[in-house]
Amino acid sequence: QVQLVESGGGVVQAGGSLRLSCSASGGDFTSVGIGWFRQAPGKDREFLAAASWGGGASAYADSVKGRFTMYRDDAKNMVYLQMTSLRPEDSAVYYCAASRRLLATTEGTYAFWGQGTRVTVSS
């Protein structure tokens, strides 16, 4: 069973930064795509970013381009989402997910999900 565990969430002031981590285990992730999503209360799950474990091109949602950066530590099977210039509307539960499709942007292509980590941005 593939397991994904997010961490790094918390409360941060508007304009601040947080780094989220996604730890993957239970499979071979060398050719697997990893995506980040978030879901705020009363809203649909939203795609944020996607990349392969080995690097290469990344895809970002328009809402986070220029503010969020996704990167990887392949040796540790870790994926990170560096978030800067945070806004109150960024408050949500953030999830990482794994797919055999690379750079997928829809949640239906992701077979494995973490439990999420909550981010709260105060004004």
Side-chain angles (χ1 to χ4, degrees), residues 52-67:
S52 67
W53 282 103
S58 299
Y60 292 91
D62 290 341
S63 61
V64 302
K65 285 181 179 177
R67 297 191 300 122

Side-chain angles (χ1 to χ4, degrees), residues 53-77:
W53 282 103
S58 299
Y60 292 91
D62 290 341
S63 61
V64 302
K65 285 181 179 177
R67 297 191 300 122
F68 292 9
T69 302
M70 182 178 179
Y71 60 100
R72 302 152 298 276
D73 185 339
D74 293 335
K76 297 181 179 180
N77 282 345

Side-chain angles (χ1 to χ4, degrees), residues 71-116:
Y71 60 100
R72 302 152 298 276
D73 185 339
D74 293 335
K76 297 181 179 180
N77 282 345
M78 295 286 291
V79 178
Y80 305 94
L81 185 67
Q82 179 67 51
M83 308 185 296
T84 62
S85 301
L86 285 164
R87 309 161 181 167
E89 54 263 41
D90 293 320
S91 297
V93 176
Y94 284 70
Y95 300 89
C96 65
S99 173
R100 298 187 66 83
R101 310 271 292 196
L102 302 182
L103 302 180
T105 60
T106 59
E107 64 179 280
T109 63
Y110 289 87
F112 305 99
W113 295 81
Q115 295 300 307

Side-chain angles (χ1 to χ4, degrees), residues 1-4 24-32 53 77 98 100 112:
Q1 298 88 356
V2 173
Q3 291 185 332
L4 303 172
S25 63
D28 181 3
F29 298 95
T30 58
S31 61
V32 172
W53 282 103
N77 282 345
R100 298 187 66 83
F112 305 99

